[in-house]
């Protein structure tokens, strides 16, 4: 495994980090507790020392599972990354969306990152995770009802109190990141990035390279699509959010699978899976510090972790990039 420093912080994270959204069950059609805990522990055994979660993932369920999974591991050997600012227990802030919890009960979610809310959420996360500090605390989504400076001031307070080791943002544009950095030199920005979703390369990546801000890429496998295992007629579990997204339209699934067929021989030549090839390509991209890879069981977790165990030569990366240049998705 490779370990990389997050921005200007003291936190070193594994280049492949365990993404704990799916194990929360919410928006993924549920999850199995035992499988989730085994997935995290299998990931750790392969050298993945970092776990990224959030309170909204199962309304606390993901954080609780992460806390259970790391029991018995020396705290200094694991990095806990979590978030704040997606509240389902208040009607303050900027309304985000309607959803349901894991039991099917309706919920309204609000983006809210006022100072007192940030500090309260941090305390709640510490309790659920069973720890006395968080390695990286990130605002989950921008909150247009709270000044960016106020949110950053709350993070500065938590840094001074030792409740967090580093502060980050998530889903921030280059413009918002510049505004945040006027108050606090945040360590990272967590944003969507994959072979088929590369919009951050235009503005955000150059700015992060210029300022030394790390990029944490989420959904590098495009929520499972880039594994090559999803077909146009795939049947999703009730509550799974993926069928409603652009990339999961049947025609786009067909086109992406055709692209994957072009690079599949390279994976075979290197003795790796498509998933591993995709993750390796991602963590080799300019500006990308960490890629989050979710897993719902131990086998998936171990496979993802091993993406850092091999390298890609320049001509191999060029082969992938050429095939990508020929991929056109239906909008």
């Amino acid at each position: 495994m490779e370990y990389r420093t997050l921005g200007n912080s003291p936190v070193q994270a594994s280049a492949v980090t365990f993404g704990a959204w799916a194990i929360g069950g919410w928006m993924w059609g549920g999850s199995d507790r035992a499988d989730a805990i085994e997935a995290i522990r299998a990931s750790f055994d392969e050298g993945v020392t970092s776990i990224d979660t959030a309170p909204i993932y199962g309304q606390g369920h993901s954080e609780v599972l992460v806390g259970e999974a790391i029991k018995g591991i020396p705290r200094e050997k694991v990095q806990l990354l979590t978030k704040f600012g997606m509240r389902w227990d208040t009607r303050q802030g900027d309304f985000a969306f309607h959803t349901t919890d894991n039991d099917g009960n309706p919920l309204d979610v609000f983006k809210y990152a006022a100072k007192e809310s940030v500090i309260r959420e941090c305390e709640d996360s510490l309790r659920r995770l069973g720890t006395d500090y968080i390695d990286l605390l990130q605002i989950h989504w921008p909150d247009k009802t709270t000044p960016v400076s106020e949110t950053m001031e709350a993070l500065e307070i938590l840094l001074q109190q030792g409740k967090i080791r580093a502060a980050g943002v998530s889903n921030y544009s280059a413009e918002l990141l510049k505004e945040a950095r006027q108050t606090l030199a945040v360590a990272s920005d967590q944003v969507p990035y994959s072979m088929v979703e590369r919009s951050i390369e235009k503005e955000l990546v150059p700015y992060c390279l210029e300022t030394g801000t790390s990029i944490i890429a989420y959904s590098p496998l495009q929520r499972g699509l880039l594994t090559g295992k999803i077909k146009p007629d795939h049947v999703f579990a009730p509550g799974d959010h993926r069928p409603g997204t652009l990339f999961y339209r049947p025609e786009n699934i067909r086109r992406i699978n055709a692209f994957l067929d072009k690079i599949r021989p390279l994976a075979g030549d290197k003795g790796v899976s498509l998933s591993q090839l995709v993750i390796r390509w991602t963590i080799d991209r300019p500006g990308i510090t960490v890629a989050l890879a979710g897993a719902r069981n131990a086998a998936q977790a171990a496979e993802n972790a091993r993406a850092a165990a091999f390298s890609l030569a320049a001509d191999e990366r060029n082969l992938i990039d050429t095939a990508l240049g020929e991929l056109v998705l239906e909008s």
Side-chain angles (χ1 to χ4, degrees):
M1 182 56 63
E2 301 170 29
Y3 301 94
R4 301 174 176 181
T5 302
L6 297 180
N8 62 348
S9 80
V11 178
Q12 279 204 320
S14 47
V16 178
T17 286
F18 188 95
W21 179 11
I23 67 166
W26 173 74
M27 297 184 76
W28 286 85
S31 70
D32 181 88
R33 176 185 173 279
D35 284 350
I37 291 173
E38 287 178 8
I40 293 173
R41 290 177 178 166
S43 192
F44 183 82
D45 289 343
E46 294 287 342
V48 173
T49 58
S50 309
I51 307 165
D52 180 87
T53 182
I56 192 63
Y57 300 160
Q59 294 71 60
H61 186 54
S62 175
E63 286 187 324
V64 169
L65 289 177
V66 170
E68 290 184 24
I70 64 170
K71 285 179 181 175
I73 300 174
R75 179 63 183 86
E76 69 277 6
K77 294 188 180 297
V78 63
Q79 299 84 47
L80 297 177
L81 288 54
T82 193
K83 308 177 189 77
F84 64 88
M86 295 292 280
R87 296 284 299 273
W88 65 92
D89 54 347
T90 181
R91 301 193 69 82
Q92 295 174 283
D94 178 22
F95 174 73
F97 51 82
H98 299 287
T99 186
T100 57
D101 64 17
N102 284 340
D103 295 320
N105 300 310
L107 291 177
D108 288 339
V109 178
F110 290 79
K111 301 173 185 176
Y112 188 51
K115 186 178 295 184
E116 74 281 358
S117 182
V118 176
I119 292 170
R120 172 188 164 176
E121 283 206 76
C122 179
E123 294 295 337
D124 289 342
S125 289
L126 289 169
R127 174 178 48 79
R128 285 189 290 259
L129 290 164
T131 186
D132 57 1
Y133 70 91
I134 291 162
D135 293 277
L136 177 71
L137 185 63
Q138 311 151 90
I139 180 172
H140 204 150
W141 283 91
D143 165 24
K144 65 183 181 183
T145 68
T146 302
V148 171
S149 59
E150 179 179 337
T151 303
M152 296 303 112
E153 287 166 4
L155 287 167
E156 177 63 31
I157 290 170
L158 293 169
L159 282 166
Q160 292 174 355
Q161 292 177 340
K163 299 288 180 69
I164 66 175
R165 296 180 65 213
V169 298
S170 184
N171 298 299
Y172 265 37
S173 64
E175 181 180 1
L176 269 178
L177 185 55
K178 289 176 186 176
E179 185 177 352
R181 288 180 63 85
Q182 291 176 9
T183 304
L184 180 65
V186 296
S188 59
D189 191 358
Q190 182 178 145
V191 288
Y193 183 72
S194 74
M195 286 180 164
V196 296
E197 169 52 281
R198 297 166 63 182
S199 57
I200 65 167
E201 291 180 351
K202 184 176 180 180
E203 295 183 358
L204 185 64
V205 169
Y207 179 73
C208 287
L209 287 170
E210 174 190 339
T211 58
T213 306
S214 288
I215 293 176
I216 298 174
Y218 72 79
S219 297
L221 293 171
Q222 205 53 55
R223 303 178 188 180
L225 187 52
L226 290 171
T227 65
K229 299 173 183 176
I230 305 293
K231 307 304 177 187
D233 59 353
H234 186 84
V235 177
F236 295 88
D240 196 312
H241 70 290
R242 290 175 289 177
T245 65
L246 166 70
F247 301 103
Y248 273 82
R249 293 176 182 172
E251 179 57 28
N252 283 339
I253 294 176
R254 279 190 285 271
R255 295 182 186 187
I256 290 170
N257 280 340
F259 153 71
L260 292 172
D261 286 341
K262 293 180 182 179
I263 66 171
R264 197 183 303 272
L266 174 59
D269 290 344
K270 299 190 76 66
V272 301
S273 68
L274 268 176
S275 299
Q276 290 167 331
L277 186 66
V278 170
I279 294 170
R280 181 73 250 184
W281 177 91
T282 305
I283 60 176
D284 283 346
R285 298 296 293 172
I288 305 300
T289 305
V290 165
L292 304 183
R296 296 166 73 100
N297 58 55
Q300 290 174 356
E303 179 180 345
N304 291 341
R306 292 168 190 160
F310 69 98
S311 60
L312 289 172
D315 63 321
E316 293 170 330
R317 289 194 295 270
N318 288 338
L319 183 153
I320 294 170
D321 292 342
T322 298
L324 269 178
E326 297 168 352
L327 173 62
V328 178
L329 297 180
E330 184 182 75
S331 61

